[in-house]
Amino acid sequence: MKFVFFGAPGAGKGTMASRASTAFGLQHVSTGEIFRAAMRDGTPLGLRVKEVIESGGLVSDELTIGLVRERLAMPDVSKGWLLDGFPRTIPQAEALASFCPEDYVIDLEVSDEKVVERLSGRSMCRSCGRIYHTTFMPPAKPGFCDDCGGELYTRDDDKETAVRHRLETYREQTSPLVQFYEQRGTLVPINGEADADSVWAVLKGVIEGLLAGRRNGSSD
Ligand code: AP5
């Protein structure tokens, strides 16, 4: 099964996609994480995208589409995938529909106030990428990852000016995809306002239903 996890910056896409990946054995592919790993490692890709990401803008469609196309051709995604952070423009959505069409788009709906609250307290593990929040998902030992002991850091694009730019970019370039996917009949809206465990409980049930529907459909 192929899922797109869609929503505003800070909606909880990474958090929920990570839980769904573990629960359903689907490969989690995050374009933001691919870019951040490249920046961490100082690769040519990382150097190319650093400035635009840190300012809260979008990497070019051409580069991002090429990267996702290559990633979805790898053997580890053959049993299904969860795309997190892609597509976020109409050209990206059209490209995905042409080379690897999605089954469902999970649209995590949250208010602007929640977005700001969540992004202002977020930290991430430098080594494994696990996501934390100072209030909502604190690590057991402040500053260090529960899973691997790695150092936690605040993303450069979580600074106030960059967050504002990311929200504008989302409204202008990414939110039109809601209509795009409504028209394709693949949009599944999920209320993402509640705490993470409550959102996950609803989402897990929805995905189980979609997977069961698919199994029943294919055995008819
Ligand atoms: P990306 O990493 O995709 O950033 P984003 O879309 O802005 O999303 P975030 O990672 O900020 O938030 P999220 O929805 O995953 O929320 P999270 O789970 O972390 O992309 C970064 C940049 O890369 C882009 O700005 C762009 O420059 C570039 N890029 C990436 N893809 C691209 C593309 N396709 N085209 C062009 N450029 C691209 O949760 C947020 C916080 O809230 C965490 O602290 C978490 O612990 C907490 N939290 C989560 N859920 C809950 C809950 N239910 N209750 C309370 N707290 C919660």
Side-chain angles (χ1 to χ4, degrees):
M1 195 80 121
K2 295 170 285 181
F3 290 96
V4 168
F5 275 54
F6 182 81
K13 303 181 293 295
T15 302
M16 293 302 145
S18 167
R19 291 191 186 198
S21 167
T22 308
F24 298 105
L26 300 169
Q27 190 67 39
H28 180 186
V29 176
S30 157
T31 42
E33 199 43 49
I34 292 171
F35 291 138
R36 280 187 291 281
M39 291 193 293
R40 255 190 326 263
D41 297 343
T43 66
L45 172 68
L47 296 174
R48 197 166 155 194
V49 300
K50 188 174 181 344
E51 199 177 322
V52 69
I53 289 189
E54 287 181 355
S55 73
L58 289 186
V59 177
S60 74
D61 283 339
E62 190 196 357
L63 197 159
T64 312
I65 291 168
L67 190 134
V68 171
R69 196 183 182 122
E70 268 180 32
R71 183 67 189 85
L72 296 186
M74 289 182 183
D76 64 337
V77 298
S78 62
K79 291 197 178 121
W81 43 253
L82 305 156
L83 258 181
D84 157 14
F86 183 96
R88 49 212 304 162
T89 63
I90 294 286
Q92 291 182 13
E94 286 171 344
L96 183 68
S98 73
F99 65 72
C100 205
E102 81 291 348
D103 292 308
Y104 294 103
V105 176
I106 303 293
D107 177 18
L108 289 169
E109 299 176 325
V110 294
S111 61
D112 283 5
E113 298 81 73
K114 282 278 173 206
V115 162
V116 171
E117 193 182 27
R118 288 179 187 176
L119 292 183
S120 58
R122 173 166 62 185
S123 59
M124 296 184 79
C125 176
R126 244 185 234 293
S127 309
C128 71
R130 183 167 164 183
I131 305 164
Y132 294 88
H133 190 282
T134 42
T135 313
F136 308 128
M137 265 165 261
K141 184 178 171 197
F144 296 94
C145 180
D146 294 351
D147 287 346
C148 71
E151 182 201 3
L152 303 189
Y153 77 106
T154 301
R155 279 168 44 176
D156 281 323
D157 62 348
D158 279 348
K159 291 181 182 135
E160 200 189 328
T161 1
V163 168
R164 234 179 289 127
H165 189 190
R166 282 161 66 199
L167 281 170
E168 277 162 24
T169 306
Y170 174 78
R171 282 192 206 100
E172 285 165 17
Q173 299 193 51
T174 308
S175 63
L177 296 190
V178 169
Q179 204 186 353
F180 179 93
Y181 285 117
E182 265 169 4
Q183 282 166 1
R184 285 172 66 78
T186 55
L187 194 76
V188 182
I190 299 278
N191 185 331
E193 288 277 309
D195 64 88
D197 287 345
S198 305
V199 175
W200 170 239
V202 172
L203 178 58
K204 183 166 174 277
V206 167
I207 296 180
E208 281 166 351
L210 295 172
L211 291 170
R214 171 56 64 97
R215 274 195 300 274
N216 294 339
S218 57
S219 63
D220 282 344

